Amino acid sequence: MSGNGDGTVTSPSEATLPRVEVLPEQPKYVCTLSAELIAKAREELQEKPEWRLRDVQALRDMVCKDYPNLGTCLDDTFLLRFLRARKFDYDRALQLLVNYHCCRRSWPEVFTNLRPSAIKPVLESGFVTVLPHLDSEGRHVVCIRPGNWTPSNYPITENIRAIYLTLEKLIQSEGTQVNGIVILADYKGVSLSKASHFGPFIAKKVIGILQDGFPIRIKAVNIINEPRIFKGIFAIIKPFLKEKIANRFFLHGSDVSSLHHNLPPRILPEEYGGTAGSLDISAWNDLLLASESDFLYDAAHLAPSSDPSPDAPLMSAEVDEKQCDDSLRSLKTQLYYCY
């Protein structure tokens, strides 16, 4: 896929997508949203309960007509994720669905054998977890701690796999589909050696997936305990961010009171000045590892193609290569002066 100037991604030709057998039709959708969330979805996502299944069928018809070889799940609950993520705009939801599959097929290091048991060492390290309490807007808080990663133990792509599986599990909830999520990234302990593993190539792919290849609404990214080198890391990230997403980044430094303006202390662990007890990763790890069967469909039917499209959508728009090089040089310069 190639990016256009307006931020859209050009769809691949049918020939680039391998034929994969679609699973038998699943039971009809039954709404699990509360009355409050139904009202919120109507207001924010243009979701009308009386038209919901009609909209899902419209997207299904578009997939069957335009991408008969996409090899996607076509049940109501799966397609509804993409409609909600794009506020029930059929064309944008279809593009997101195609991007979702092409992203998976273009990065085999991440998406081959993608199941919780395969990333158990990452989970046990505490690199990524989900806090047990929702924020005041009903959103899950995904806590990412890069400082817990030991590069000699496994490559950075294993961390990305763990984050992706976490998001896949969260998006199964209709409440998450409507409310979105919040990210809390703690950069305490991120050293020069760790930062050097995260360059423009990885940044472009990860952000491309999160912005244009996954049906989730990221409502805020709170960064805490960021070292001086984070300015260099953010310089690499920023060229790939849409303005709307870039404006949702909040840098708090070591000031937990600043963090509390965005996330209330009652949901935060003691490590971040909260009152919810010590950070415990075991509950989320157990939940994710017990969900192995949820990912059997992905393993059997959405495995990366052996010959993925070279134009798979890894970002929302083309970014000047010189911009990437400048960002990398900026990071190297800052790292030099920080150490």
Side-chain angles (χ1 to χ4, degrees), residues 135-271:
D135 74 356
S136 56
E137 299 294 324
R139 302 174 298 206
H140 281 289
V141 179
V142 178
C143 183
I144 301 173
R145 296 183 291 168
N148 284 31
W149 172 47
T150 302
S152 60
N153 288 348
Y154 51 79
I156 192 171
T157 48
E158 291 299 290
N159 293 328
I160 297 166
R161 284 155 59 80
I163 293 173
Y164 194 92
L165 280 173
T166 294
L167 297 182
E168 283 280 12
K169 182 60 180 175
L170 289 175
I171 204 60
Q172 292 176 0
S173 162
E174 290 197 278
T176 298
Q177 293 169 27
V178 174
N179 290 325
I181 64 166
V182 172
I183 294 175
L184 170 60
D186 179 4
Y187 275 80
K188 183 178 181 179
V190 174
S191 62
L192 168 61
S193 62
K194 291 179 183 178
S196 66
H197 290 265
F198 192 78
F201 175 79
I202 295 290
K204 176 180 176 180
K205 286 202 169 193
V206 171
I207 293 172
I209 289 171
L210 294 178
Q211 289 189 147
D212 295 297
F214 195 86
I216 202 163
R217 307 172 70 208
I218 299 175
K219 305 301 292 184
V221 180
N222 291 281
I223 310 294
I224 192 166
N225 295 323
E226 68 271 19
R228 287 176 292 175
I229 60 173
F230 184 80
K231 289 184 178 180
I233 297 173
F234 194 69
I236 287 178
I237 296 173
K238 195 169 183 180
F240 308 118
L241 293 173
K242 294 178 179 178
E243 182 179 3
K244 179 176 71 174
I245 297 296
N247 291 336
R248 294 176 180 175
F249 273 71
F250 302 94
L251 308 183
H252 302 288
S254 59
D255 184 2
V256 294
S257 63
S258 173
L259 176 65
H260 295 168
H261 286 299
N262 291 7
L263 294 173
R266 64 175 178 80
I267 74 166
L268 291 172
E270 297 170 354
E271 288 83 348

Side-chain angles (χ1 to χ4, degrees), residues 73-86:
C73 176
L74 291 174
D75 66 36
D76 297 340
T77 56
F78 183 76
L79 295 179
L80 191 53
R81 302 174 187 179
F82 296 86
L83 286 165
R84 284 173 172 154
R86 290 297 180 262

